[in-house]
Amino acid sequence: MDSVPDQWRYGRLHEFQARLLERMEAARDGSGMRDSRLGVMIGDRRCLVDLREAGEIVNLIAVTKVPLARDWYLGLANVRGNLIGVVDLDRFLGGPSQTIGKESRVLVVSLALSGNTGFLLSRVLGLRHIQEMTEQQSGDCGRRRYLDGDLNEWVEISLAEIVEDPRFLQVGL
């Protein structure tokens, strides 16, 4: 009897992920949504990710720690038979370590970028349309910043730049 609510909840989550995947695919092939970004929470930062750089979003999975790794490198995880390195992006960007909660997810980067890296997200907020936002002065390492209609600040991050950053490529101590 208790499994019925779980089945319903997982069914709704699956539907949400399927709709999000359809939108991400549409954005990748250019059939619309060029101005759409994936809205995520990384720690307490609202961030926008280019959909072409995102592979998939998975529930938080078991992560095996790697000895002598940087504090932002959480370890290795198995996603559908593929080993990916899981990174606390907030910590990598100089913030505090993220608190893992029930809404935490892992964003696996696109195969075009690496396909073997995943970033810990505090929450997935869904699609955001930057044409509905006001661009602000660039700050934080030249990243674009936007204000939405509720005056929430959003920072656009490039997963491509992160996975090519020399610091990112040096996981070991």
Side-chain angles (χ1 to χ4, degrees):
M1 194 96 166
D2 290 335
S3 65
V4 173
D6 284 342
Q7 289 174 347
W8 179 81
R9 185 175 29 225
Y10 291 126
R12 299 274 299 164
L13 177 62
H14 180 71
E15 288 173 21
F16 169 76
Q17 289 177 331
R19 283 193 311 271
L20 185 58
L21 183 60
E22 287 173 12
R23 291 177 180 168
M24 289 169 66
E25 289 298 324
R28 269 192 209 104
D29 68 13
S31 62
M33 295 201 210
R34 287 188 196 277
D35 294 329
S36 293
R37 302 288 186 272
L38 178 62
V40 298
M41 291 293 293
I42 299 173
D44 61 357
R45 305 178 208 207
R46 284 181 169 79
C47 296
L48 299 168
V49 176
D50 188 323
L51 293 171
R52 294 169 291 191
E53 296 180 346
E56 65 178 308
I57 298 165
V58 296
N59 288 328
L60 196 57
I61 40 197
V63 176
T64 302
K65 295 235 180 247
V66 174
L68 302 174
R70 306 254 181 221
D71 62 348
W72 46 263
Y73 190 79
L74 301 177
L76 293 169
N78 181 340
V79 176
R80 283 183 252 310
N82 297 307
L83 283 180
I84 63 164
V86 180
V87 171
D88 182 337
L89 189 52
D90 199 25
R91 184 74 188 122
F92 176 77
L93 295 173
S97 296
Q98 291 185 68
T99 302
I100 295 175
K102 65 180 183 175
E103 294 185 274
S104 297
R105 301 288 183 267
V106 174
L107 171 62
V108 180
V109 300
S110 165
L111 288 173
L113 295 181
S114 87
N116 62 357
T117 301
F119 294 108
L120 178 65
L121 307 174
S122 298
R123 242 175 104 196
V124 175
L125 300 172
L127 292 178
R128 298 292 185 259
H129 306 289
I130 58 173
Q131 72 270 20
E132 296 172 0
M133 297 180 176
T134 305
E135 189 168 352
Q136 302 297 298
Q137 290 265 338
S138 291
D140 210 11
C141 302
R143 292 188 178 102
R144 291 175 139 171
R145 295 180 173 281
Y146 298 90
L147 283 181
D148 65 16
D150 295 326
L151 301 179
N152 293 312
E153 184 178 65
W154 295 83
V155 178
E156 191 168 34
I157 59 172
S158 169
L159 300 181
E161 286 178 17
I162 292 168
V163 299
E164 293 172 1
D165 185 318
R167 290 182 314 120
F168 185 80
L169 299 173
Q170 295 299 317
V171 173
L173 295 174

